[in-house]
Amino acid sequence: RSSDLYPPRPEAVYFYGTCLVDTFVPEAGMDAITLLEREGIRVIFPDNQTCCGQPAFTSGFPAEAREVVAAQLDLFPEDYPIVVPSGSCAGMIRWHWEKVIGDDAGLAARAAAISARTFELAEFLVHVLDFKRPDQGEPTTVALHTSCSARREMQVHTTARSLLGQLGGVTLHEQAYESECCGFGGAFSVRHPHISQAMVEDKTRHLLATGADTLVSADWGCLLNIKGSLAYQGKTLPAMHLASFLLAHSKRLSEKEEAHHE
C-alpha cells in the first residue's frame, strides 16, 4: 500500500479487537488502545463486533462467512479508520470482506468502504501516526515473528521491525527462515495437525537459536501456537504482543498525558 493511500491523522478510530486477543490476551487489546489514546486518538470500540469471518471463509463455508461479515457492516458508521491488532484479521477485512459479500451491490459497496479504511496496528502506528516514543524500558533482546497474512496480504512485515528499531534499549535478533509460517494458519493447524506440528517445531528451534530474551509478534494466533509448542516441548521463551511490548518500553507519561488521565 503506497504512502499516498494512508489518511491524515484522524481524531478518532474504531478498534476491532479480534477473537484471539479478546479471548486469550485482552490486555494486549487494552495496551493497543492505550498506545492510540496517548497519541491523542479517540478510540471507539463497537460492542457488537464478533469474528472477522476468516475461519469460515478459509474452511470453505462462504455462506456462513457472509453472514458474519454482513452482521457487522453497520458497526462503523463514521468515516474513521479501523485499527486491527492482527495482520490476519486485518487482511481478511481489507481483501476479502467485499468478496465474501458477493453479488449484493449495496452490501458490497459498504464492505469495500470499510476495507479501504482498515489498518493493521503496526501499519497504522508507523504510517499514519508516525509513532515515536523514547525507550524507557530495560535493555533487552527480542526475536520478531511476523504472521503470513501480515507479510503477504498486508505487506506490513517491515512496520513492526521499524517500531522495535526505534527503541534504543532493544536489540533485534534475526531468526533463520524468518519468513516461514509457524504452522498455525487458523483452521489449518486443526485440519492438518501433524504438518502444523512439524512446522512449528522448526519455528521454535530457529527462535530459540537466536538467544533472544523475548518473542514479539503483532499476531496473537501465531504466538499462541508457538507458545503452545514450546510448552509441549518443555522449553521457554517469553512472548508478548507487539502492543504490550511497545507500551512496556514507553510506559512513563508526559505531564500533559498524566493530567489528561487524572
Side-chain angles (χ1 to χ4, degrees), residues 34-234:
T34 297
L35 288 174
L36 294 167
E37 289 181 336
R38 290 196 320 176
E39 299 302 306
I41 305 297
R42 181 166 60 90
V43 178
I44 304 166
F45 187 91
D47 289 335
N48 292 329
Q49 62 181 278
T50 63
C51 175
C52 67
Q54 186 182 67
F57 176 64
T58 57
S59 297
F61 296 97
E64 289 79 359
R66 183 185 188 279
E67 185 177 352
V68 170
V69 172
Q72 298 181 87
L73 295 179
D74 291 330
L75 297 182
F76 316 101
E78 302 296 330
D79 192 27
Y80 298 136
I82 301 159
V83 179
V84 188
S86 161
S88 178
C89 299
M92 177 66 189
I93 297 172
R94 182 182 289 177
W95 298 115
H96 302 295
W97 268 26
E98 182 181 3
K99 182 191 308 180
V100 165
I101 286 298
D103 296 333
D104 188 314
L107 291 182
R110 292 166 63 193
I114 289 171
S115 299
R117 52 192 173 98
T118 295
F119 301 90
E120 184 264 353
L121 174 66
E123 173 190 29
F124 189 80
L125 290 175
V126 170
H127 292 301
V128 180
L129 297 188
D130 191 26
F131 182 89
K132 289 183 176 66
R133 288 271 172 169
D135 189 348
Q136 297 173 344
E138 296 296 322
T140 189
T141 60
V142 302
L144 174 66
H145 173 75
T146 306
S147 76
C148 296
S149 293
R151 180 179 292 271
R152 296 179 175 87
E153 284 194 321
M154 300 298 287
Q155 298 182 0
V156 295
H157 49 287
T158 60
T159 51
R161 185 181 296 273
S162 174
L163 290 166
L164 294 173
Q166 297 175 10
L167 302 173
V170 174
T171 301
L172 180 62
H173 287 188
E174 293 191 19
Q175 58 181 286
Y177 304 102
E178 180 179 332
S179 65
E180 290 191 358
C181 179
C182 73
F184 178 57
F188 172 83
S189 60
V190 177
R191 300 174 76 177
H192 304 283
H194 299 298
I195 301 173
S196 176
Q197 180 181 358
M199 294 171 71
V200 74
E201 286 177 355
D202 279 348
K203 179 61 67 174
T204 56
R205 182 169 64 255
H206 298 317
L207 288 168
L208 290 169
T210 67
D213 298 324
T214 306
L215 168 63
V216 175
S217 178
D219 274 84
W220 192 255
C222 298
L223 288 182
L224 195 65
N225 190 44
I226 293 169
K227 281 164 58 70
S229 178
L230 286 168
Y232 183 77
Q233 298 174 56

